[in-house]
Amino acid sequence: MMPRVDAIWRAPLFQHELARIAVFERGRRFCHHDLAHLLDVARLSWIRILEEGVSIPCDLVYAVALLHDIGRAEQYETGEPHDVAGERIATEILAALPGQACFNEDEQRRIRSAVRAHRSHAVQDPLARVIAWADKASRPCFACPAASDCNWSLEKRNLNVRI
Ligand SMILES: [Fe+2]
């Protein structure tokens, strides 16, 4: 049970932004940023953290995974990079969680900074690093019907089945 992650899922602003993303991505040929992707990132990240023996609480990992693409609709609408918009929206969502589901100040800072850093290539923070890795590793490029038009470099793509 992860009540604090459930609270993020139920947060009205989270649901609002996820619904906006779904509208913008209706008919999109490339990767979607829906619940399936967010959970793929969460589970892959958690597997990697267990394998590496890194000490990060599971609900912190799931919180960042759920929030890492929450700025996508803003990017589609205004062009603002989704990591920047995502940090701002995540801050608002985290601040509005009910008392018993609150992340403390240090946890909120870690979540916000991992959301902001998840696209960076030179991430230092272990939480942001594993999310950045899972974000790419979760995509089945080898089975993508839009691969010929995708702007990901070949090095970035997953061309084989992998965890
Ligand atoms: Fe993502």
Side-chain angles (χ1 to χ4, degrees):
M1 300 288 277
M2 294 188 286
R4 301 194 297 180
V5 175
D6 290 329
I8 292 174
W9 167 253
R10 290 194 208 99
L13 181 55
F14 180 85
Q15 287 295 327
H16 173 75
E17 292 299 326
L18 207 58
R20 285 180 72 210
I21 295 167
V23 170
F24 278 110
E25 294 189 341
R26 208 175 276 157
R28 178 179 159 91
R29 296 172 59 228
F30 303 104
C31 292
H32 285 221
H33 303 84
D34 51 13
L35 178 61
H37 170 61
L38 305 179
L39 290 178
D40 283 347
V41 170
R43 290 166 178 150
L44 279 182
S45 296
W46 185 238
I47 290 168
R48 176 56 68 95
I49 283 167
L50 292 177
E51 284 177 346
E52 291 183 351
V54 181
S55 176
I56 303 175
C58 189
D59 65 350
L60 222 54
V61 175
Y62 271 68
V64 177
L66 282 189
L67 291 167
H68 82 280
D69 278 333
I70 204 64
R72 270 271 162 187
E74 277 303 297
Q75 181 170 316
Y76 291 132
E77 191 165 280
T78 69
E80 181 181 21
H82 74 269
D83 45 345
V84 177
E87 182 185 24
R88 186 178 63 250
I89 297 165
T91 299
E92 210 178 318
I93 291 170
L94 292 169
L97 293 180
Q100 75 279 10
C102 261
F103 290 88
N104 67 33
E105 270 189 35
D106 183 57
E107 290 169 326
Q108 290 189 38
R109 183 195 54 73
R110 290 180 74 186
I111 295 168
R112 283 197 309 267
S113 76
V115 169
R116 178 59 180 267
H118 84 271
R119 299 172 78 193
S120 166
H121 295 296
V123 190
Q124 299 292 323
D125 172 56
L127 178 54
R129 180 182 51 76
V130 77
I131 293 284
W133 167 80
D135 197 21
K136 300 285 176 292
S138 63
R139 299 301 197 180
C141 305
F142 58 87
C144 179
S148 59
D149 299 318
C150 177
N151 65 8
W152 278 22
S153 65
L154 282 180
E155 294 75 47
K156 215 164 150 185
R157 295 185 195 188
N158 300 303
L159 300 174
N160 304 95
V161 177
R162 51 183 288 183
I163 69 145

